[in-house]
Amino acid sequence: MVNYKSIKLSPGLYFVSTPIGSARDITLRALDILANADVLVAEDTRTLKKLLEIHDIQLKNRKVISYHDHNGNKIRPKLIARLEQGKSIAYSSEAGTPLIADPGFSLLTEVLSLGINVTGAPGPCALIAALTVAGLPTDRFYFEGFLPNSKSQRELKFRELKSYSGTLIFYESAKRLSDTLLKATEVFGADRQGVVCREITKKFEEIRRGSLKELFEFYHDKIVKGEIVFLLAGAGNSDIDQSEIDRNLKRALKSMSVKDSAEAVALAMNLPRRDLYQRALKIKIDGD
Ligand code: SAM
């Protein structure tokens, strides 16, 4: 049984989000678009072809055109010519949502400037997937994408963001994780809470929560592999004294459940209950 419909797509450019790990994380509408677009374009043609194969979508006589940072200027006019002929084009980046730390922005602006129809097939996005499970506040957040390569630029960026009170989100590489955690510990302080979301939706998915000191201690002597989203609690949460929170939680845990302890300390210290629940849980598990 195929999961897509045969439909006639309106002319225009379709930005199609694709899985960030598990191949089944794709919407039925995304499959419809990939099955029916006149032209298929991908940042990584092999990845898209594999995805089509998994979902039993035939290429028929369509080629998958490669479009990425290095050939964009050359390929864009060709894609625009097809759009001007009234064709539908589906574009996917290597994984997740196109344009989010991925190519596609110049294509979008040029197509918009010509008054051509643009639409999206929303779906997986690593930063949202990470934020959803991290356990840090989700009401306000700042997404930086990848930090600069140079150590001094990275430190500068951290200093700029130090007093931001919403959750901070970064894309990070496995080989740089340790360095980043060390620098973050220096700038934001050892007690600032962080979360490392690794390999989300994949076989070795790992979500590790803790203070920056704890995260650094865990990762610094390990060979880390895979893809990573690194999140940091906003400034408000870290300005308070973590050791005082821990003392109060430990005292409360002697006579109360994890949930009640978190609630009582949150109330007494005017702190978010959700954050304290995670902390209380960790203290309880570590203490057992
Ligand atoms: N467009 C993608 C999106 O919507 O998230 C992001 C593309 S960016 C080139 C790739 C980075 O996203 C990775 O280096 C990593 O930081 C993050 N990422 C992608 N997939 C991930 C996953 N399954 N688990 C953790 N991080 C992931």
Side-chain angles (χ1 to χ4, degrees), residues 18 39 52-53 88 92 113 117 148 159 161 216 242 279:
T18 55
V39 180
L52 296 180
E53 207 178 294
S88 54
S92 292
S113 74
N117 184 43
R159 294 206 179 279
L161 297 172
F216 175 71
Q242 188 64 49
R279 190 71 195 166

Side-chain angles (χ1 to χ4, degrees), residues 128-147:
I128 298 297
L131 182 64
T132 310
V133 297
L136 297 174
T138 53
D139 52 344
R140 277 183 318 113
F141 58 89
Y142 173 89
F143 172 58
E144 175 62 25
F146 288 101
L147 286 158

Side-chain angles (χ1 to χ4, degrees), residues 20 95-97 100-102 125-126 146 171-172 197 199-200 202 227-229:
I20 56 167
T97 300
I100 304 299
D102 262 342
C125 180
F146 288 101
Y171 283 168
E172 190 47 281
C197 297
E199 295 288 85
I200 303 167
K202 300 187 201 176
E227 297 192 282
I228 289 167
V229 182

Side-chain angles (χ1 to χ4, degrees), residues 41-45 65-76 79 91-94 102-107:
V41 182
E43 181 190 9
D44 184 326
T45 58
I65 299 171
S66 157
Y67 180 92
H68 46 71
D69 282 339
H70 305 293
N71 72 357
N73 290 343
K74 201 170 110 208
I75 302 297
R76 235 174 0 261
L79 300 182
Y91 171 71
S92 292
S93 56
E94 211 252 322
D102 262 342
F105 186 66
S106 304
L107 181 61

